[in-house]
Amino acid sequence: ATTTPAPHAVITTKFGDIELEFFTDKAPGHVENFLKLARAGTYDGTLFHRVIPNFMIQGGDPGTKDARKPRSSHGTGGPGYTIKAEFNDTHHARGVLSMARSNDPNSAGSQFFVCVADAGFLDRQYTAFGRVVKGMEVADKIVASPRDKNDNPNERVEMTVRVVE
């Protein structure tokens, strides 16, 4: 029997593409959620609204699509529901894709982040559900964007996300 290759996703930005592969065995609910939102176009037009050098880039808030909304609201939105945490043994190393959340472990919705440096202090506290297989130099360009005191890039860094089956 042939196994179908697991889906990948490609995040396209003005800096280039970031290709992701998913850890369906470690965080099946998070992978399914991300793919569902990506297929529905939820991520298209959202921003990488939080960039912290030597740490990570964060995006996926549907509320960032509207350029008229105040930048201070970026990072407060979601899909209207939350999903249960799936903490696992994946180390938050450079290139790891993980789900953003509030203080409640089960509060992840649509926001995600990509580690641009080792962030072991996040291990087993955030759900790692994939990794970058191509395009880390794009993440490096995004994280180097000039930003305000809230780590919000001065210029909009929009994304589209497409699932590659």
PDB file of all heavy atoms in Angstrom, residues 47-50 58 61-77 111 148 150 152-153 156:
ATOM      1  N   LEU A  47      -1.462  39.328   8.884  1.00  0.00           N
ATOM      2  CA  LEU A  47      -0.099  39.837   9.007  1.00  0.00           C
ATOM      3  C   LEU A  47       0.749  38.987   9.932  1.00  0.00           C
ATOM      4  O   LEU A  47       0.240  38.316  10.830  1.00  0.00           O
ATOM      5  CB  LEU A  47      -0.121  41.245   9.633  1.00  0.00           C
ATOM      6  CG  LEU A  47      -0.967  42.325   8.995  1.00  0.00           C
ATOM      7  CD1 LEU A  47      -0.794  43.626   9.776  1.00  0.00           C
ATOM      8  CD2 LEU A  47      -0.578  42.516   7.542  1.00  0.00           C
ATOM      9  N   PHE A  48       2.066  39.091   9.733  1.00  0.00           N
ATOM     10  CA  PHE A  48       2.991  38.742  10.798  1.00  0.00           C
ATOM     11  C   PHE A  48       3.027  40.006  11.641  1.00  0.00           C
ATOM     12  O   PHE A  48       3.607  41.016  11.257  1.00  0.00           O
ATOM     13  CB  PHE A  48       4.376  38.382  10.250  1.00  0.00           C
ATOM     14  CG  PHE A  48       4.440  36.964   9.753  1.00  0.00           C
ATOM     15  CD1 PHE A  48       4.416  36.693   8.406  1.00  0.00           C
ATOM     16  CD2 PHE A  48       4.482  35.903  10.647  1.00  0.00           C
ATOM     17  CE1 PHE A  48       4.452  35.384   7.942  1.00  0.00           C
ATOM     18  CE2 PHE A  48       4.507  34.593  10.199  1.00  0.00           C
ATOM     19  CZ  PHE A  48       4.492  34.334   8.848  1.00  0.00           C
ATOM     20  N   HIS A  49       2.293  39.997  12.770  1.00  0.00           N
ATOM     21  CA  HIS A  49       2.079  41.219  13.549  1.00  0.00           C
ATOM     22  C   HIS A  49       3.022  41.346  14.736  1.00  0.00           C
ATOM     23  O   HIS A  49       3.008  42.349  15.432  1.00  0.00           O
ATOM     24  CB  HIS A  49       0.626  41.280  14.041  1.00  0.00           C
ATOM     25  CG  HIS A  49       0.292  40.184  15.010  1.00  0.00           C
ATOM     26  ND1 HIS A  49      -0.214  38.976  14.594  1.00  0.00           N
ATOM     27  CD2 HIS A  49       0.408  40.107  16.362  1.00  0.00           C
ATOM     28  CE1 HIS A  49      -0.391  38.194  15.652  1.00  0.00           C
ATOM     29  NE2 HIS A  49      -0.015  38.857  16.740  1.00  0.00           N
ATOM     30  N   ARG A  50       3.832  40.334  14.971  1.00  0.00           N
ATOM     31  CA  ARG A  50       4.743  40.378  16.115  1.00  0.00           C
ATOM     32  C   ARG A  50       6.060  39.746  15.693  1.00  0.00           C
ATOM     33  O   ARG A  50       6.086  38.567  15.324  1.00  0.00           O
ATOM     34  CB  ARG A  50       4.108  39.617  17.281  1.00  0.00           C
ATOM     35  CG  ARG A  50       4.810  39.789  18.599  1.00  0.00           C
ATOM     36  CD  ARG A  50       3.916  39.265  19.728  1.00  0.00           C
ATOM     37  NE  ARG A  50       4.665  39.242  20.968  1.00  0.00           N
ATOM     38  CZ  ARG A  50       4.819  38.163  21.722  1.00  0.00           C
ATOM     39  NH1 ARG A  50       4.267  37.013  21.389  1.00  0.00           N
ATOM     40  NH2 ARG A  50       5.521  38.238  22.829  1.00  0.00           N
ATOM     41  N   GLN A  58       5.316  35.977  14.639  1.00  0.00           N
ATOM     42  CA  GLN A  58       3.969  35.500  14.951  1.00  0.00           C
ATOM     43  C   GLN A  58       2.965  36.127  14.003  1.00  0.00           C
ATOM     44  O   GLN A  58       3.079  37.298  13.647  1.00  0.00           O
ATOM     45  CB  GLN A  58       3.622  35.859  16.398  1.00  0.00           C
ATOM     46  CG  GLN A  58       2.245  35.400  16.836  1.00  0.00           C
ATOM     47  CD  GLN A  58       2.014  35.661  18.325  1.00  0.00           C
ATOM     48  OE1 GLN A  58       2.937  35.613  19.119  1.00  0.00           O
ATOM     49  NE2 GLN A  58       0.775  35.939  18.688  1.00  0.00           N
ATOM     50  N   ASP A  61      -3.637  36.247  12.944  1.00  0.00           N
ATOM     51  CA  ASP A  61      -4.796  36.880  13.582  1.00  0.00           C
ATOM     52  C   ASP A  61      -5.702  37.442  12.486  1.00  0.00           C
ATOM     53  O   ASP A  61      -5.319  38.380  11.800  1.00  0.00           O
ATOM     54  CB  ASP A  61      -4.311  38.001  14.510  1.00  0.00           C
ATOM     55  CG  ASP A  61      -5.443  38.852  15.078  1.00  0.00           C
ATOM     56  OD1 ASP A  61      -6.622  38.636  14.703  1.00  0.00           O
ATOM     57  OD2 ASP A  61      -5.145  39.742  15.883  1.00  0.00           O
ATOM     58  N   PRO A  62      -6.937  36.874  12.312  1.00  0.00           N
ATOM     59  CA  PRO A  62      -7.834  37.370  11.268  1.00  0.00           C
ATOM     60  C   PRO A  62      -8.150  38.858  11.410  1.00  0.00           C
ATOM     61  O   PRO A  62      -8.461  39.521  10.424  1.00  0.00           O
ATOM     62  CB  PRO A  62      -9.109  36.532  11.452  1.00  0.00           C
ATOM     63  CG  PRO A  62      -8.691  35.325  12.212  1.00  0.00           C
ATOM     64  CD  PRO A  62      -7.518  35.744  13.053  1.00  0.00           C
ATOM     65  N   GLY A  63      -8.031  39.403  12.611  1.00  0.00           N
ATOM     66  CA  GLY A  63      -8.300  40.812  12.848  1.00  0.00           C
ATOM     67  C   GLY A  63      -7.275  41.744  12.217  1.00  0.00           C
ATOM     68  O   GLY A  63      -7.504  42.950  12.149  1.00  0.00           O
ATOM     69  N   THR A  64      -6.141  41.202  11.754  1.00  0.00           N
ATOM     70  CA  THR A  64      -5.112  42.059  11.151  1.00  0.00           C
ATOM     71  C   THR A  64      -5.359  42.315   9.673  1.00  0.00           C
ATOM     72  O   THR A  64      -4.636  43.083   9.046  1.00  0.00           O
ATOM     73  CB  THR A  64      -3.701  41.456  11.323  1.00  0.00           C
ATOM     74  OG1 THR A  64      -3.647  40.177  10.659  1.00  0.00           O
ATOM     75  CG2 THR A  64      -3.335  41.289  12.797  1.00  0.00           C
ATOM     76  N   LYS A  65      -6.381  41.673   9.080  1.00  0.00           N
ATOM     77  CA  LYS A  65      -6.663  41.863   7.652  1.00  0.00           C
ATOM     78  C   LYS A  65      -7.104  43.289   7.350  1.00  0.00           C
ATOM     79  O   LYS A  65      -6.810  43.822   6.289  1.00  0.00           O
ATOM     80  CB  LYS A  65      -7.778  40.912   7.191  1.00  0.00           C
ATOM     81  CG  LYS A  65      -7.372  39.462   7.142  1.00  0.00           C
ATOM     82  CD  LYS A  65      -8.519  38.618   6.584  1.00  0.00           C
ATOM     83  CE  LYS A  65      -8.221  37.145   6.675  1.00  0.00           C
ATOM     84  NZ  LYS A  65      -9.170  36.337   5.910  1.00  0.00           N
ATOM     85  N   ASP A  66      -7.824  43.897   8.281  1.00  0.00           N
ATOM     86  CA  ASP A  66      -8.381  45.232   8.078  1.00  0.00           C
ATOM     87  C   ASP A  66      -7.342  46.285   8.444  1.00  0.00           C
ATOM     88  O   ASP A  66      -7.035  46.481   9.627  1.00  0.00           O
ATOM     89  CB  ASP A  66      -9.644  45.394   8.936  1.00  0.00           C
ATOM     90  CG  ASP A  66     -10.344  46.730   8.708  1.00  0.00           C
ATOM     91  OD1 ASP A  66      -9.773  47.613   8.029  1.00  0.00           O
ATOM     92  OD2 ASP A  66     -11.464  46.886   9.228  1.00  0.00           O
ATOM     93  N   ALA A  67      -6.800  46.962   7.442  1.00  0.00           N
ATOM     94  CA  ALA A  67      -5.737  47.950   7.671  1.00  0.00           C
ATOM     95  C   ALA A  67      -6.220  49.144   8.472  1.00  0.00           C
ATOM     96  O   ALA A  67      -5.415  49.907   9.005  1.00  0.00           O
ATOM     97  CB  ALA A  67      -5.161  48.416   6.336  1.00  0.00           C
ATOM     98  N   ARG A  68      -7.532  49.315   8.588  1.00  0.00           N
ATOM     99  CA  ARG A  68      -8.061  50.451   9.356  1.00  0.00           C
ATOM    100  C   ARG A  68      -8.087  50.172  10.852  1.00  0.00           C
ATOM    101  O   ARG A  68      -8.218  51.081  11.661  1.00  0.00           O
ATOM    102  CB  ARG A  68      -9.477  50.795   8.881  1.00  0.00           C
ATOM    103  CG  ARG A  68      -9.524  51.293   7.436  1.00  0.00           C
ATOM    104  CD  ARG A  68     -10.967  51.533   7.016  1.00  0.00           C
ATOM    105  NE  ARG A  68     -11.789  50.362   7.312  1.00  0.00           N
ATOM    106  CZ  ARG A  68     -12.372  49.596   6.389  1.00  0.00           C
ATOM    107  NH1 ARG A  68     -12.252  49.887   5.123  1.00  0.00           N
ATOM    108  NH2 ARG A  68     -13.105  48.552   6.739  1.00  0.00           N
ATOM    109  N   LYS A  69      -8.006  48.904  11.222  1.00  0.00           N
ATOM    110  CA  LYS A  69      -8.028  48.561  12.651  1.00  0.00           C
ATOM    111  C   LYS A  69      -6.739  49.051  13.300  1.00  0.00           C
ATOM    112  O   LYS A  69      -5.674  48.992  12.694  1.00  0.00           O
ATOM    113  CB  LYS A  69      -8.134  47.040  12.837  1.00  0.00           C
ATOM    114  CG  LYS A  69      -9.541  46.530  12.805  1.00  0.00           C
ATOM    115  CD  LYS A  69      -9.591  45.150  13.411  1.00  0.00           C
ATOM    116  CE  LYS A  69     -11.024  44.699  13.600  1.00  0.00           C
ATOM    117  NZ  LYS A  69     -11.085  43.310  14.023  1.00  0.00           N
ATOM    118  N   PRO A  70      -6.823  49.514  14.549  1.00  0.00           N
ATOM    119  CA  PRO A  70      -5.601  49.995  15.207  1.00  0.00           C
ATOM    120  C   PRO A  70      -4.599  48.856  15.398  1.00  0.00           C
ATOM    121  O   PRO A  70      -4.982  47.723  15.688  1.00  0.00           O
ATOM    122  CB  PRO A  70      -6.105  50.521  16.552  1.00  0.00           C
ATOM    123  CG  PRO A  70      -7.434  49.872  16.779  1.00  0.00           C
ATOM    124  CD  PRO A  70      -8.004  49.597  15.410  1.00  0.00           C
ATOM    125  N   ARG A  71      -3.326  49.203  15.218  1.00  0.00           N
ATOM    126  CA  ARG A  71      -2.268  48.206  15.386  1.00  0.00           C
ATOM    127  C   ARG A  71      -2.291  47.594  16.775  1.00  0.00           C
ATOM    128  O   ARG A  71      -1.891  46.457  16.971  1.00  0.00           O
ATOM    129  CB  ARG A  71      -0.900  48.838  15.125  1.00  0.00           C
ATOM    130  CG  ARG A  71      -0.690  49.209  13.674  1.00  0.00           C
ATOM    131  CD  ARG A  71       0.423  50.242  13.517  1.00  0.00           C
ATOM    132  NE  ARG A  71       1.686  49.829  14.086  1.00  0.00           N
ATOM    133  CZ  ARG A  71       2.687  49.324  13.376  1.00  0.00           C
ATOM    134  NH1 ARG A  71       2.588  49.207  12.081  1.00  0.00           N
ATOM    135  NH2 ARG A  71       3.809  48.974  13.964  1.00  0.00           N
ATOM    136  N   SER A  72      -2.793  48.361  17.752  1.00  0.00           N
ATOM    137  CA  SER A  72      -2.831  47.853  19.131  1.00  0.00           C
ATOM    138  C   SER A  72      -3.769  46.650  19.270  1.00  0.00           C
ATOM    139  O   SER A  72      -3.660  45.889  20.226  1.00  0.00           O
ATOM    140  CB  SER A  72      -3.262  48.958  20.092  1.00  0.00           C
ATOM    141  OG  SER A  72      -4.536  49.456  19.714  1.00  0.00           O
ATOM    142  N   SER A  73      -4.687  46.474  18.313  1.00  0.00           N
ATOM    143  CA  SER A  73      -5.605  45.329  18.380  1.00  0.00           C
ATOM    144  C   SER A  73      -4.980  44.067  17.784  1.00  0.00           C
ATOM    145  O   SER A  73      -5.507  42.977  17.950  1.00  0.00           O
ATOM    146  CB  SER A  73      -6.902  45.643  17.633  1.00  0.00           C
ATOM    147  OG  SER A  73      -6.690  45.652  16.226  1.00  0.00           O
ATOM    148  N   HIS A  74      -3.856  44.213  17.075  1.00  0.00           N
ATOM    149  CA  HIS A  74      -3.226  43.058  16.446  1.00  0.00           C
ATOM    150  C   HIS A  74      -2.796  42.053  17.513  1.00  0.00           C
ATOM    151  O   HIS A  74      -2.182  42.412  18.502  1.00  0.00           O
ATOM    152  CB  HIS A  74      -2.007  43.482  15.609  1.00  0.00           C
ATOM    153  CG  HIS A  74      -2.369  44.318  14.422  1.00  0.00           C
ATOM    154  ND1 HIS A  74      -1.421  44.812  13.571  1.00  0.00           N
ATOM    155  CD2 HIS A  74      -3.563  44.739  13.938  1.00  0.00           C
ATOM    156  CE1 HIS A  74      -2.026  45.515  12.618  1.00  0.00           C
ATOM    157  NE2 HIS A  74      -3.325  45.480  12.826  1.00  0.00           N
ATOM    158  N   GLY A  75      -3.150  40.802  17.257  1.00  0.00           N
ATOM    159  CA  GLY A  75      -2.789  39.750  18.198  1.00  0.00           C
ATOM    160  C   GLY A  75      -3.902  39.398  19.154  1.00  0.00           C
ATOM    161  O   GLY A  75      -3.748  38.518  19.991  1.00  0.00           O
ATOM    162  N   THR A  76      -5.046  40.082  19.031  1.00  0.00           N
ATOM    163  CA  THR A  76      -6.155  39.808  19.941  1.00  0.00           C
ATOM    164  C   THR A  76      -7.234  38.944  19.294  1.00  0.00           C
ATOM    165  O   THR A  76      -8.166  38.520  19.969  1.00  0.00           O
ATOM    166  CB  THR A  76      -6.802  41.123  20.437  1.00  0.00           C
ATOM    167  OG1 THR A  76      -7.283  41.851  19.294  1.00  0.00           O
ATOM    168  CG2 THR A  76      -5.801  41.985  21.197  1.00  0.00           C
ATOM    169  N   GLY A  77      -7.112  38.688  17.996  1.00  0.00           N
ATOM    170  CA  GLY A  77      -8.178  37.986  17.284  1.00  0.00           C
ATOM    171  C   GLY A  77      -7.932  36.504  17.112  1.00  0.00           C
ATOM    172  O   GLY A  77      -6.842  35.991  17.330  1.00  0.00           O
ATOM    173  N   GLN A 111      -3.682  31.872  15.685  1.00  0.00           N
ATOM    174  CA  GLN A 111      -2.362  32.492  15.671  1.00  0.00           C
ATOM    175  C   GLN A 111      -1.259  31.462  15.891  1.00  0.00           C
ATOM    176  O   GLN A 111      -1.383  30.576  16.733  1.00  0.00           O
ATOM    177  CB  GLN A 111      -2.275  33.586  16.727  1.00  0.00           C
ATOM    178  CG  GLN A 111      -3.197  34.746  16.410  1.00  0.00           C
ATOM    179  CD  GLN A 111      -3.012  35.877  17.406  1.00  0.00           C
ATOM    180  OE1 GLN A 111      -1.889  36.270  17.697  1.00  0.00           O
ATOM    181  NE2 GLN A 111      -4.114  36.387  17.936  1.00  0.00           N
ATOM    182  N   ASP A 148       7.751  48.619  16.021  1.00  0.00           N
ATOM    183  CA  ASP A 148       7.454  49.564  17.090  1.00  0.00           C
ATOM    184  C   ASP A 148       7.737  48.937  18.456  1.00  0.00           C
ATOM    185  O   ASP A 148       8.218  47.809  18.543  1.00  0.00           O
ATOM    186  CB  ASP A 148       6.007  50.073  16.962  1.00  0.00           C
ATOM    187  CG  ASP A 148       4.961  48.992  17.207  1.00  0.00           C
ATOM    188  OD1 ASP A 148       5.272  47.925  17.802  1.00  0.00           O
ATOM    189  OD2 ASP A 148       3.802  49.199  16.799  1.00  0.00           O
ATOM    190  N   ASN A 150       5.859  47.642  20.498  1.00  0.00           N
ATOM    191  CA  ASN A 150       5.077  46.428  20.749  1.00  0.00           C
ATOM    192  C   ASN A 150       5.495  45.273  19.839  1.00  0.00           C
ATOM    193  O   ASN A 150       4.763  44.290  19.711  1.00  0.00           O
ATOM    194  CB  ASN A 150       3.582  46.716  20.565  1.00  0.00           C
ATOM    195  CG  ASN A 150       3.081  47.744  21.556  1.00  0.00           C
ATOM    196  OD1 ASN A 150       3.447  47.697  22.725  1.00  0.00           O
ATOM    197  ND2 ASN A 150       2.275  48.681  21.098  1.00  0.00           N
ATOM    198  N   ASN A 152       5.507  45.186  16.697  1.00  0.00           N
ATOM    199  CA  ASN A 152       4.660  45.132  15.519  1.00  0.00           C
ATOM    200  C   ASN A 152       5.435  45.797  14.371  1.00  0.00           C
ATOM    201  O   ASN A 152       5.852  46.941  14.511  1.00  0.00           O
ATOM    202  CB  ASN A 152       3.356  45.881  15.815  1.00  0.00           C
ATOM    203  CG  ASN A 152       2.276  45.676  14.774  1.00  0.00           C
ATOM    204  OD1 ASN A 152       2.559  45.564  13.584  1.00  0.00           O
ATOM    205  ND2 ASN A 152       1.036  45.649  15.218  1.00  0.00           N
ATOM    206  N   PRO A 153       5.659  45.076  13.255  1.00  0.00           N
ATOM    207  CA  PRO A 153       6.423  45.686  12.152  1.00  0.00           C
ATOM    208  C   PRO A 153       5.811  47.010  11.690  1.00  0.00           C
ATOM    209  O   PRO A 153       4.590  47.140  11.621  1.00  0.00           O
ATOM    210  CB  PRO A 153       6.346  44.639  11.039  1.00  0.00           C
ATOM    211  CG  PRO A 153       6.141  43.344  11.758  1.00  0.00           C
ATOM    212  CD  PRO A 153       5.277  43.699  12.952  1.00  0.00           C
ATOM    213  N   ARG A 156       3.274  46.678   6.928  1.00  0.00           N
ATOM    214  CA  ARG A 156       2.484  45.442   6.951  1.00  0.00           C
ATOM    215  C   ARG A 156       3.228  44.307   6.243  1.00  0.00           C
ATOM    216  O   ARG A 156       3.672  44.465   5.120  1.00  0.00           O
ATOM    217  CB  ARG A 156       1.131  45.670   6.274  1.00  0.00           C
ATOM    218  CG  ARG A 156       0.210  46.594   7.073  1.00  0.00           C
ATOM    219  CD  ARG A 156      -1.062  46.950   6.316  1.00  0.00           C
ATOM    220  NE  ARG A 156      -1.915  45.796   6.057  1.00  0.00           N
ATOM    221  CZ  ARG A 156      -2.847  45.332   6.904  1.00  0.00           C
ATOM    222  NH1 ARG A 156      -3.037  45.920   8.060  1.00  0.00           N
ATOM    223  NH2 ARG A 156      -3.586  44.292   6.575  1.00  0.00           N
TER     224      ARG A 156
END
